[in-house]
Amino acid sequence: MEVKLWNDKREREMYENFAELFAIIKATEKLEKAYVRDIISPAEYETECQKLIAHFKTLSSTLKDIVPSIERFHDTYKIDCPAALNRLVTSGVPATVEHRAAAAMSATTSAAIVAECVQNFITAMDSLKLNMVAVDQVHPLLSDLSASLNKLSILPPDFEGKTKMREWIARLSKMGAADELTEQQARQLHFDLESSYNSFMAALPTAGT
């Protein structure tokens, strides 16, 4: 005896759409696992993933009144495809696209910090040339420079500029705000800044900047 899952054309279409949605989720899960295991190339993965995401968006839009929650559909039919849910619902773009976006953002952020470091180096050196040698003038400049250097992850903890700035900040912290650097101290600080700046610029190509 044949058992019908539907009573009319509308119900039949609904179940067919359910089956297609189920198939898309399952296929996406398999694709995600294949990509993670290097079974397919990133280019192949991206092409197929974009197709599945496009089909998913079209189908989920069609079913939005019947299936308001894809997560609930996933749980109701015990599909058990967490990677597919993440890709289709949470992310909405292939993993390769996410990785490129993250890399671009990281590069942009690093470039901004490098520019900030350069500016702080130049400001500190120029201030000394203008004879701004009071502790309350020099200390904030060196603190800003030290902070920007510490934000740049490509520089090792023992980088010359970091250690030199820490030493000078510690020295200035023991002096009064109105105290001034002697001519010899100012000259030494300028030398340390210039040396650190040159080391900083030399370190950038090594880090792939």
Side-chain angles (χ1 to χ4, degrees):
M1 180 181 175
E2 187 181 349
V3 178
K4 285 189 176 182
L5 293 173
W6 54 82
N7 297 314
D8 53 35
K9 186 180 177 182
R10 181 178 294 178
E11 277 194 11
R12 177 178 178 175
E13 189 176 327
M14 181 188 75
Y15 281 113
E16 284 177 349
N17 284 334
F18 279 7
E20 192 174 344
L21 181 59
F22 185 96
I24 288 172
I25 293 172
K26 281 288 187 180
T28 304
E29 184 76 11
K30 285 184 179 179
L31 184 65
E32 289 293 305
K33 286 180 178 177
Y35 174 63
V36 169
R37 293 168 184 166
D38 284 331
I39 296 171
I40 59 172
S41 70
E44 289 173 317
Y45 161 79
E46 189 168 322
T47 300
E48 292 305 314
C49 193
Q50 283 174 334
K51 286 180 188 176
L52 287 168
I53 290 170
H55 292 327
F56 170 77
K57 285 180 178 177
T58 302
L59 191 57
S60 58
S61 177
T62 303
L63 292 171
K64 64 182 178 182
D65 294 330
I66 306 169
V67 186
S69 169
I70 299 298
E71 290 92 340
R72 190 175 299 170
F73 176 87
H74 173 273
D75 294 340
T76 300
Y77 292 97
K78 298 179 172 60
I79 305 176
D80 191 26
C81 294
L85 268 190
N86 176 64
R87 187 61 49 217
L88 297 170
V89 180
T90 308
S91 172
V93 294
T96 45
V97 175
E98 280 185 335
H99 298 160
R100 285 200 298 272
M105 188 173 290
S106 177
T108 303
T109 303
S110 294
I113 298 171
V114 167
E116 184 183 313
C117 289
V118 170
Q119 183 179 342
N120 287 334
F121 266 120
I122 293 171
T123 300
M125 288 189 285
D126 285 351
S127 297
L128 291 175
K129 288 177 183 176
L130 294 171
N131 204 36
M132 295 172 62
V133 291
V135 169
D136 60 358
Q137 292 174 318
V138 178
H139 192 284
L141 299 177
L142 299 188
S143 294
D144 288 346
L145 174 55
S146 181
S148 60
L149 289 173
N150 286 328
K151 283 192 282 185
L152 202 58
S153 59
I154 60 172
L155 298 175
D158 60 349
F159 173 68
E160 178 189 350
K162 290 183 178 182
T163 56
K164 290 286 186 185
M165 292 313 105
R166 281 198 297 268
E167 289 168 6
W168 274 104
I169 289 169
R171 192 179 306 174
L172 294 173
S173 297
K174 295 175 183 176
M175 299 169 65
D179 290 346
E180 293 188 352
L181 297 177
T182 64
E183 184 180 343
Q184 185 178 355
Q185 287 174 323
R187 189 170 177 176
Q188 182 63 49
L189 175 55
H190 189 278
F191 176 82
D192 288 344
L193 283 167
E194 197 165 26
S195 174
S196 298
Y197 176 70
N198 291 335
S199 297
F200 172 76
M201 296 305 288
L204 297 183
T206 307
T209 302

